[in-house]
Amino acid sequence: MVSELAVTGIGVIAPTGIGLDAFWKAAEQGNCVLDRVDRLAGTGYPVRVAGEVRGFDPAEALEGRIIVQTDLFTQFALAAADLALTDAGLDPSTLDPFEVGVVTASYSGGVEFGQREIQALWRDGPDHVGPYQSIAWFYAASTGQISIRRGLKGPCGVLVTDEAGGLDAIAHAGRAIRRGARAMLVGGTEAPLSSPFALACQFGTGLLSASDDPYTAYLPFTDAAAGYVPAEGGALFVLEDRRAAEARGGEVWGVVAGHGTTFSGLNRFDPGGEGLVAAIRAALAEAGCAPEEVDVVFADAVGTRAADDAEAAAIRAVLGANVPVTAPKTGYGRGYAASAALDVAAALASLEHGVVPPTPNVTATRVDLDVVTHLARRVEPRSALVLARGLGGSNSALLLRRASG
Amino acid sequence: MSARELEPQELAEVITTVAGVTVTARSLTDPPTRTFADLGLDSLALLGVVAELSRRYGIPSRAEALECRTPRDLMAFVNDEIRSGV
């Protein structure tokens, strides 16, 4: 019988910093690191501003043998997994390998790697496609590489539900723990900024901000909302049964108390917010949490009028207009599955530190919500709700609770 | 086809570039029984190495080349192919 699902390790690779400490400090201060990105200019698409991870050197984090066979999104995942395990103080080689598994989510996959190899195929012929194309560009690459690197033979999975995947993966890993897994590595990473192919997959949605001003490009919930700014990076977590974690002396960041997910139509964001309402209700029901017990909401914050309105309506419908709502991602971008994972990291740090980080660059909002702007707010939250929607029609909500009551 | 033969130095460079495993010419054959697996190359890595050698030298029997377990065997195999092609 599982006591509670405890997050015992957090590994963050974010545009605002590598490691939870740097990431949280930037979130708490409301730093904005969005910037004009040279790689984007080379893609030929009118997208200029993004959240780029600038402090990450694959050669520092990983062996050369691994680098040649992986896309950047997998390199982020491998590095974040190492950080999460170190943070958890857990060496998986001390556990039964069949009791430790991996679940990752990605929306973009290894598109840069794929584009390079497909160009070689088109230009020079099949003999010029490298063998690692067979493994590197698929969504499953990160889960597979982590499991190989760490010798993990427990339940493994891969989810592709756009941003919602970062939350759904955690729920999926939670089910594995309930079925007997001893520990799970779980999270989401993305590297969607480096190739025309990657941009083509995003630009066609019409949701990307075309602004070239980093400070006004991504302003969800405002009159100036003009889409979102893409980002790369991600986060991985170590998830364990709380009793087992504490028995080994592991420290608990927070508890995954409830998850809900719904599907409300292809190729559009949840019209009206009904799907998100149902997801929030399901997450609260699983957690046994009353609406008034939710102390802070980490919003999806798509940054278009319709999607923002739908999200605001969903939050008001279930939780009312007084719950503090924040979107730290306006400081570093919306990175699909990576973004939901980073929101979970921010929410756990928020519960731990008793502070709700602000929504960078957003000042006057036009929605009837208590959006935390300008400065972090000390509210000692005991529970945090993270929201994420996917363009494919998925809507997810994850309720996290503070480790100590 | 080239009459030039494959030397350990070139194979070491190909392995380093294609498989991402840094090796020296000497480490390939010292001891002579050293296998690709010993060097940290799996079957996909060897596939990439053989494909690159094939682009440089033309190796008609690539499937056989992939059965070589040691750098020493692979160099002998490739050089046989080169000579027979001259």
Side-chain angles (χ1 to χ4, degrees), chain A residues 126-140:
Chain A
D127 282 353
H128 293 260
V129 178
Y132 297 119
Q133 170 72 349
S134 64
I135 56 171
W137 78 323
F138 298 104
Y139 299 110

Side-chain angles (χ1 to χ4, degrees), chain A residues 99-311:
Chain A
E99 292 187 352
V100 188
V102 188
V103 183
T104 61
S106 185
Y107 165 72
S108 202
V111 275
E112 184 187 8
F113 197 107
Q115 166 144 14
R116 195 172 64 224
E117 299 299 321
I118 290 168
Q119 278 177 326
L121 173 69
W122 174 74
R123 194 179 52 229
D124 303 315
D127 282 353
H128 293 260
V129 178
Y132 297 119
Q133 170 72 349
S134 64
I135 56 171
W137 78 323
F138 298 104
Y139 299 110
S142 299
T143 288
Q145 289 285 0
I146 293 169
S147 77
I148 292 166
R149 182 179 174 84
R150 293 288 183 168
L152 311 180
K153 299 174 180 177
C156 284
V158 181
L159 293 175
V160 184
T161 54
D162 192 354
E163 181 169 307
L167 304 184
D168 299 341
I170 292 172
H172 193 72
R175 286 193 286 276
I177 300 275
R178 292 193 192 286
R179 283 196 291 263
R182 172 63 191 79
M184 295 292 290
L185 271 161
V186 57
T189 63
E190 305 281 4
L193 306 180
S194 295
S195 72
F197 181 9
L199 258 289
C201 298
Q202 301 162 74
F203 189 73
T205 64
L207 297 167
L208 294 192
S209 173
S211 167
D212 65 355
D213 175 14
Y215 297 99
T216 58
Y218 182 26
L219 297 172
F221 304 118
T222 73
D223 282 323
Y228 65 85
V229 160
E232 62 182 358
L236 262 81
F237 306 92
V238 176
L239 198 61
E240 298 177 74
D241 165 40
R242 181 169 190 163
R243 215 173 307 153
E246 287 176 341
R248 69 165 180 90
E251 285 182 37
V252 177
W253 274 104
V255 168
V256 179
H259 169 260
T261 187
T262 62
F263 180 78
S264 55
L266 274 173
N267 295 326
R268 54 185 184 171
F269 279 103
D270 185 35
E274 292 87 351
L276 194 57
V277 165
I280 295 170
R281 290 208 167 113
L284 297 188
E286 188 185 9
C289 178
E292 59 272 19
E293 290 177 288
V294 175
D295 297 318
V296 58
V297 176
F298 285 75
D300 180 19
V302 171
T304 68
R305 190 171 267 272
D308 290 350
D309 281 348
E311 184 170 32

